[in-house]
PDB file of all heavy atoms in Angstrom:
ATOM      1  N   GLU A 468     -47.099-119.459 -42.326  1.00 85.00           N
ATOM      2  CA  GLU A 468     -46.373-118.477 -43.271  1.00 85.00           C
ATOM      3  C   GLU A 468     -45.084-118.020 -42.515  1.00 85.00           C
ATOM      4  O   GLU A 468     -45.287-117.343 -41.453  1.00 85.00           O
ATOM      5  CB  GLU A 468     -47.374-117.294 -43.678  1.00 85.00           C
ATOM      6  CG  GLU A 468     -46.687-116.444 -44.557  1.00 85.00           C
ATOM      7  CD  GLU A 468     -47.581-115.107 -44.836  1.00 85.00           C
ATOM      8  OE1 GLU A 468     -47.662-114.283 -43.898  1.00 85.00           O
ATOM      9  OE2 GLU A 468     -48.213-115.152 -45.889  1.00 85.00           O
ATOM     10  N   SER A 469     -44.055-118.210 -43.069  1.00 80.00           N
ATOM     11  CA  SER A 469     -42.741-117.671 -42.577  1.00 80.00           C
ATOM     12  C   SER A 469     -42.509-117.960 -41.141  1.00 80.00           C
ATOM     13  O   SER A 469     -42.097-117.050 -40.306  1.00 80.00           O
ATOM     14  CB  SER A 469     -42.702-116.195 -42.846  1.00 80.00           C
ATOM     15  OG  SER A 469     -42.771-115.821 -44.160  1.00 80.00           O
ATOM     16  N   GLY A 470     -42.897-119.179 -40.756  1.00 75.00           N
ATOM     17  CA  GLY A 470     -42.642-119.645 -39.394  1.00 75.00           C
ATOM     18  C   GLY A 470     -43.762-119.261 -38.376  1.00 75.00           C
ATOM     19  O   GLY A 470     -43.797-119.654 -37.327  1.00 75.00           O
ATOM     20  N   ILE A 471     -44.779-118.553 -38.811  1.00 79.00           N
ATOM     21  CA  ILE A 471     -45.872-118.068 -38.060  1.00 79.00           C
ATOM     22  C   ILE A 471     -47.008-119.078 -38.318  1.00 79.00           C
ATOM     23  O   ILE A 471     -47.432-119.396 -39.428  1.00 79.00           O
ATOM     24  CB  ILE A 471     -46.460-116.713 -38.361  1.00 79.00           C
ATOM     25  CG1 ILE A 471     -45.345-115.654 -38.074  1.00 79.00           C
ATOM     26  CG2 ILE A 471     -47.719-116.357 -37.580  1.00 79.00           C
ATOM     27  CD1 ILE A 471     -45.677-114.307 -38.552  1.00 79.00           C
ATOM     28  N   SER A 472     -47.622-119.644 -37.259  1.00 81.00           N
ATOM     29  CA  SER A 472     -48.751-120.662 -37.394  1.00 81.00           C
ATOM     30  C   SER A 472     -49.941-120.093 -36.614  1.00 81.00           C
ATOM     31  O   SER A 472     -49.852-119.646 -35.549  1.00 81.00           O
ATOM     32  CB  SER A 472     -48.245-121.948 -36.677  1.00 81.00           C
ATOM     33  OG  SER A 472     -49.302-122.933 -36.874  1.00 81.00           O
ATOM     34  N   VAL A 473     -51.010-120.200 -37.371  1.00 83.00           N
ATOM     35  CA  VAL A 473     -52.257-119.626 -36.737  1.00 83.00           C
ATOM     36  C   VAL A 473     -53.413-120.718 -37.035  1.00 83.00           C
ATOM     37  O   VAL A 473     -53.443-121.483 -37.997  1.00 83.00           O
ATOM     38  CB  VAL A 473     -52.779-118.231 -37.405  1.00 83.00           C
ATOM     39  CG1 VAL A 473     -51.811-117.249 -36.974  1.00 83.00           C
ATOM     40  CG2 VAL A 473     -52.874-118.388 -38.913  1.00 83.00           C
ATOM     41  N   GLN A 474     -54.362-120.657 -36.069  1.00 83.00           N
ATOM     42  CA  GLN A 474     -55.479-121.572 -36.126  1.00 83.00           C
ATOM     43  C   GLN A 474     -56.753-120.778 -36.377  1.00 83.00           C
ATOM     44  O   GLN A 474     -56.944-119.783 -35.703  1.00 83.00           O
ATOM     45  CB  GLN A 474     -55.565-122.321 -34.720  1.00 83.00           C
ATOM     46  CG  GLN A 474     -56.838-123.275 -34.661  1.00 83.00           C
ATOM     47  CD  GLN A 474     -56.492-124.627 -35.198  1.00 83.00           C
ATOM     48  OE1 GLN A 474     -55.311-124.998 -35.295  1.00 83.00           O
ATOM     49  NE2 GLN A 474     -57.488-125.455 -35.590  1.00 83.00           N
ATOM     50  N   GLY A 475     -57.555-121.099 -37.333  1.00 85.00           N
ATOM     51  CA  GLY A 475     -58.888-120.444 -37.608  1.00 85.00           C
ATOM     52  C   GLY A 475     -59.994-121.429 -37.593  1.00 85.00           C
ATOM     53  O   GLY A 475     -59.971-122.591 -37.777  1.00 85.00           O
ATOM     54  N   GLN A 476     -61.121-120.893 -37.113  1.00 86.00           N
ATOM     55  CA  GLN A 476     -62.303-121.728 -36.875  1.00 86.00           C
ATOM     56  C   GLN A 476     -63.534-120.961 -37.482  1.00 86.00           C
ATOM     57  O   GLN A 476     -63.709-119.724 -37.302  1.00 86.00           O
ATOM     58  CB  GLN A 476     -62.507-121.953 -35.464  1.00 86.00           C
ATOM     59  CG  GLN A 476     -63.553-123.065 -35.145  1.00 86.00           C
ATOM     60  CD  GLN A 476     -63.621-123.385 -33.695  1.00 86.00           C
ATOM     61  OE1 GLN A 476     -64.178-122.528 -32.916  1.00 86.00           O
ATOM     62  NE2 GLN A 476     -63.151-124.429 -33.312  1.00 86.00           N
ATOM     63  N   GLY A 477     -64.423-121.703 -38.142  1.00 89.00           N
ATOM     64  CA  GLY A 477     -65.676-121.152 -38.724  1.00 89.00           C
ATOM     65  C   GLY A 477     -66.777-122.136 -38.466  1.00 89.00           C
ATOM     66  O   GLY A 477     -66.631-123.336 -38.520  1.00 89.00           O
ATOM     67  N   LYS A 478     -68.013-121.658 -38.262  1.00 87.00           N
ATOM     68  CA  LYS A 478     -69.138-122.461 -38.010  1.00 87.00           C
ATOM     69  C   LYS A 478     -70.296-121.989 -38.923  1.00 87.00           C
ATOM     70  O   LYS A 478     -70.534-120.754 -38.905  1.00 87.00           O
ATOM     71  CB  LYS A 478     -69.524-122.462 -36.503  1.00 87.00           C
ATOM     72  CG  LYS A 478     -68.384-122.952 -35.498  1.00 87.00           C
ATOM     73  CD  LYS A 478     -68.963-122.751 -34.177  1.00 87.00           C
ATOM     74  CE  LYS A 478     -67.721-123.057 -33.107  1.00 87.00           C
ATOM     75  NZ  LYS A 478     -66.824-121.970 -33.113  1.00 87.00           N
ATOM     76  N   ASP A 479     -71.147-122.882 -39.526  1.00 87.00           N
ATOM     77  CA  ASP A 479     -72.221-122.485 -40.179  1.00 87.00           C
ATOM     78  C   ASP A 479     -72.996-123.845 -40.570  1.00 87.00           C
ATOM     79  O   ASP A 479     -72.390-124.912 -40.599  1.00 87.00           O
ATOM     80  CB  ASP A 479     -71.864-121.813 -41.396  1.00 87.00           C
ATOM     81  CG  ASP A 479     -73.001-121.025 -42.044  1.00 87.00           C
ATOM     82  OD1 ASP A 479     -73.317-119.886 -41.724  1.00 87.00           O
ATOM     83  OD2 ASP A 479     -73.716-121.590 -42.868  1.00 87.00           O
ATOM     84  N   ILE A 480     -74.331-123.627 -40.771  1.00 86.00           N
ATOM     85  CA  ILE A 480     -75.071-124.798 -41.240  1.00 86.00           C
ATOM     86  C   ILE A 480     -74.597-125.355 -42.669  1.00 86.00           C
ATOM     87  O   ILE A 480     -74.817-126.492 -42.969  1.00 86.00           O
ATOM     88  CB  ILE A 480     -76.519-124.450 -41.215  1.00 86.00           C
ATOM     89  CG1 ILE A 480     -77.389-125.898 -41.202  1.00 86.00           C
ATOM     90  CG2 ILE A 480     -76.929-123.491 -42.393  1.00 86.00           C
ATOM     91  CD1 ILE A 480     -78.868-125.562 -40.892  1.00 86.00           C
ATOM     92  N   ASP A 481     -73.987-124.317 -43.429  1.00 91.00           N
ATOM     93  CA  ASP A 481     -73.359-124.751 -44.694  1.00 91.00           C
ATOM     94  C   ASP A 481     -71.852-124.913 -44.535  1.00 91.00           C
ATOM     95  O   ASP A 481     -71.137-124.066 -44.163  1.00 91.00           O
ATOM     96  CB  ASP A 481     -73.704-123.613 -45.709  1.00 91.00           C
ATOM     97  CG  ASP A 481     -73.248-123.955 -47.108  1.00 91.00           C
ATOM     98  OD1 ASP A 481     -72.182-124.470 -47.311  1.00 91.00           O
ATOM     99  OD2 ASP A 481     -73.990-123.662 -48.073  1.00 91.00           O
ATOM    100  N   THR A 482     -71.431-126.157 -44.828  1.00 93.00           N
ATOM    101  CA  THR A 482     -70.028-126.402 -44.693  1.00 93.00           C
ATOM    102  C   THR A 482     -69.074-125.687 -45.479  1.00 93.00           C
ATOM    103  O   THR A 482     -67.990-125.248 -45.037  1.00 93.00           O
ATOM    104  CB  THR A 482     -69.706-127.985 -45.027  1.00 93.00           C
ATOM    105  OG1 THR A 482     -70.647-128.747 -44.279  1.00 93.00           O
ATOM    106  CG2 THR A 482     -68.314-128.431 -44.749  1.00 93.00           C
ATOM    107  N   MET A 483     -69.560-125.182 -46.737  1.00 94.00           N
ATOM    108  CA  MET A 483     -68.677-124.338 -47.587  1.00 94.00           C
ATOM    109  C   MET A 483     -68.563-123.009 -46.922  1.00 94.00           C
ATOM    110  O   MET A 483     -67.451-122.309 -46.931  1.00 94.00           O
ATOM    111  CB  MET A 483     -69.357-124.253 -48.992  1.00 94.00           C
ATOM    112  CG  MET A 483     -69.525-125.555 -49.680  1.00 94.00           C
ATOM    113  SD  MET A 483     -68.018-126.370 -50.014  1.00 94.00           S
ATOM    114  CE  MET A 483     -68.063-127.674 -48.826  1.00 94.00           C
TER     115      MET A 483
END
Side-chain angles (χ1 to χ4, degrees):
E468 181 186 76
S469 302
I471 300 173
S472 180
V473 292
Q474 180 86 23
Q476 191 176 76
K478 304 177 184 72
D479 198 90
I480 198 166
D481 187 314
T482 305
M483 300 301 106

